[in-house]
Amino acid sequence: MVLSVPRGGMDDMEMAVDAFDWTSNLGAPAALVGGAVLATLAETREFLAPKRKDSTPRRMLKQATRFLLLSAFGLEIISIFVTTVTGTMLLAHGDVPAGDQAGVEYHSPMGFLRYNHEFEYLTARITFLQGLFHWLIATALELTIPKEAEGEASRRMNQFIAASLFTIVFLMLSFYNAHMSFYENYFHMTFKYLHVAFERYVLNIGHRPLAVFYIPGFL
């Protein structure tokens, strides 16, 4: 049975509190993944440092692995930050004027969050999952890089583990797509996120002048 909850009143605030629980539940695993990424960075820092004797493919693998680890940590930090700030907004939802959202009906806390805070909702979901993917792929790439004094048996085991990690990433993505809500798949959700971000920070740049400081990051 689908429960239709109108906006306004205690029912609406309860919906916001349920959405807050989701942000809290997402922030905790994001922190765990971020800690694991830091541990991986510390363990592989010396190994991933480029050396003169490295071949071009080996150097590229090291650079790709390091980039994925650093970006994974950054993505998880963003997820933690966004879920924390969004949770605070949700707990203050009852004091925010309804505006043009009056009379809107929600059928779930996720629907409530998507309708009222879609940018924050998508940011939290995508940064957490993408950071997790980056960490797993970086770990797999690190295992594929040949190491000094590595035996044949150890080499084959590392290749097997790397292949298993890549397989896990694809299985996770397939599972995620099969349980997707509001969007067709992960790629459609990412495209929607880029669309929402473009509208928010490019088309409305007059209301957000600090957005111009994002430009150097793309150069």
Side-chain angles (χ1 to χ4, degrees):
M1 181 179 66
V2 178
L3 178 62
S4 177
V5 181
R7 193 187 194 286
M10 181 59 67
D11 289 336
D12 187 55
M13 190 59 205
E14 289 177 354
M15 192 72 76
V17 171
D18 289 340
F20 165 77
D21 291 338
W22 176 81
T23 62
S24 300
N25 292 334
L26 186 62
L32 291 175
V33 175
V37 173
L38 275 182
T40 306
L41 274 169
E43 293 175 357
T44 60
R45 181 176 182 179
E46 183 177 352
F47 173 72
L48 294 178
K51 298 179 176 61
R52 290 186 177 181
K53 62 180 180 179
D54 289 341
S55 61
T56 300
R58 182 184 177 90
R59 186 178 297 109
M60 292 179 64
L61 279 175
K62 285 185 175 182
Q63 292 174 344
T65 302
R66 190 167 181 81
F67 168 77
L68 288 171
L69 287 174
L70 291 172
S71 60
F73 179 72
L75 288 168
E76 297 303 334
I77 291 299
I78 292 174
S79 181
I80 296 170
F81 175 77
V82 171
T83 53
T84 302
V85 174
T86 304
T88 304
M89 290 193 305
L90 290 171
L91 292 183
H93 183 78
D95 295 320
V96 178
D100 59 356
Q101 297 169 354
V104 175
E105 293 186 352
Y106 311 105
H107 301 279
S108 67
M110 294 297 94
F112 170 86
L113 191 59
R114 174 176 174 261
Y115 189 90
N116 292 280
H117 308 288
E118 186 173 24
F119 176 77
E120 292 80 3
Y121 170 68
L122 290 174
T123 300
R125 292 188 67 176
I126 291 176
T127 53
F128 169 72
L129 187 63
Q130 197 64 42
L132 179 60
F133 284 164
H134 282 202
W135 175 51
L136 291 173
I137 295 173
T139 303
L141 289 179
E142 190 270 334
L143 290 170
T144 62
I145 302 175
K147 300 172 178 60
E148 297 180 2
E150 184 180 38
E152 180 64 22
S154 178
R155 175 67 178 158
R156 292 174 64 87
M157 178 59 70
N158 287 339
Q159 290 177 342
F160 171 76
I161 296 175
S164 299
L165 288 175
F166 281 119
T167 302
I168 289 173
V169 170
F170 285 114
L171 289 176
M172 290 174 63
L173 184 59
S174 177
F175 182 87
Y176 197 78
N177 287 336
H179 296 79
M180 182 67 67
S181 300
F182 310 123
Y183 310 99
E184 296 178 6
N185 49 54
Y186 181 68
F187 302 103
H188 177 234
M189 183 174 69
T190 303
F191 176 80
K192 178 63 175 179
Y193 175 64
L194 295 175
H195 176 74
V196 172
F198 181 81
E199 285 188 339
R200 183 166 184 167
Y201 291 104
V202 178
L203 296 183
N204 294 323
I205 196 170
H207 301 286
R208 295 181 171 87
L210 292 180
V212 298
F213 290 103
Y214 296 156
I215 297 176
F218 297 99
L219 299 180

